[in-house]
Amino acid sequence: MQKAAFAGGCFWCMVKPFDEMDGIISIISGYTGGHTVNPSYEEVKSGETGHREAVQIEFDADVFPYEKLLSLYWPQIDPTDNGGQFHDRGPQYRTAIFYHNDEQKQLAEKTRQEIADSGRFKRPIVTEILPASDFYPAETYHQDFYKKQKKAYLEDRRESGRDEFINKYWR
């Protein structure tokens, strides 16, 4: 089993695209990349901890290779927005790929360059590729939010503008 970690704005919207696929063992919403040990949602939300909302995915690379995770990740985000994602603003909502080994780093850099070269976006690609660091699971009520709080999830997603962006730039 391997791990991958992706920041794509609100972690509620980053679980569903990867969930329930063959080879995906688990998806945990949480916080990574910051300087505070075991931060709370309120601390991360303040933007002062250096953490980003992210998902950590445990996967079987023989069934679901890392390249496939990347091909699902990129179309969930606006890789040109360095101020957050959609209606979630601040450093805690910036995009990043947190690599766990050199192969993940190389593949992430390769796909980022392919997107930059594609001409799909007029602005530069700003999604960072960073070494994985301590990952802290978010509070229980954030886990599988799209399943447990379907109405609230759908309303937040609708209001965010994420789906409109995805349909315009990725489909």
Side-chain angles (χ1 to χ4, degrees):
M1 299 306 137
Q2 291 188 36
K3 289 183 181 177
F6 302 112
C10 175
F11 47 38
W12 294 348
C13 292
M14 294 303 296
V15 174
K16 187 176 181 182
F18 300 99
D19 201 18
E20 299 177 3
M21 299 236 179
D22 289 340
I24 303 295
I25 309 306
S26 67
I27 306 169
I28 301 169
S29 295
Y31 318 112
T32 193
H35 51 79
T36 302
V37 175
N38 200 27
S40 70
Y41 175 69
E42 292 302 319
E43 290 172 320
V44 172
K45 193 169 101 170
S46 76
E48 300 297 317
T49 67
H51 289 287
R52 298 178 202 208
E53 286 194 13
V55 291
Q56 181 173 272
I57 302 169
E58 186 178 9
F59 65 103
D60 181 342
D62 292 331
V63 177
F64 205 95
Y66 188 71
E67 295 94 323
K68 196 168 181 181
L69 289 172
L70 290 168
S71 72
L72 282 175
Y73 169 71
W74 287 110
Q76 306 309 314
I77 65 167
D78 175 353
T80 68
D81 187 348
N82 202 31
Q85 285 290 283
F86 312 106
H87 72 162
D88 294 310
R89 310 311 300 160
Q92 67 275 27
Y93 297 112
R94 291 190 346 250
T95 60
I97 297 170
F98 295 94
Y99 62 87
H100 288 79
N101 57 47
D102 286 339
E103 180 184 13
Q104 286 185 0
K105 179 182 180 185
Q106 291 169 3
L107 290 167
E109 289 173 344
K110 177 180 177 270
T111 59
R112 180 177 62 187
Q113 190 60 51
E114 288 170 354
I115 291 167
D117 293 344
S118 74
R120 181 184 304 261
F121 300 101
K122 302 285 186 254
R123 298 184 314 178
I125 305 304
V126 296
T127 299
E128 293 181 283
I129 299 171
L130 303 167
S133 58
D134 291 336
F135 185 91
Y136 301 99
E139 295 78 356
T140 303
Y141 69 92
H142 288 298
Q143 305 304 327
D144 294 318
F145 188 83
Y146 86 96
K147 291 178 182 176
K148 296 187 293 190
Q149 298 288 331
K150 187 174 183 175
K151 186 176 179 181
Y153 165 76
L154 290 173
E155 180 67 17
D156 184 72
R157 187 162 179 122
R158 185 188 62 74
E159 289 177 0
S160 76
R162 185 182 293 261
D163 290 331
E164 290 84 2
F165 181 88
I166 290 169
N167 287 330
K168 181 176 180 179
Y169 289 97
W170 292 105
R171 297 227 162 100

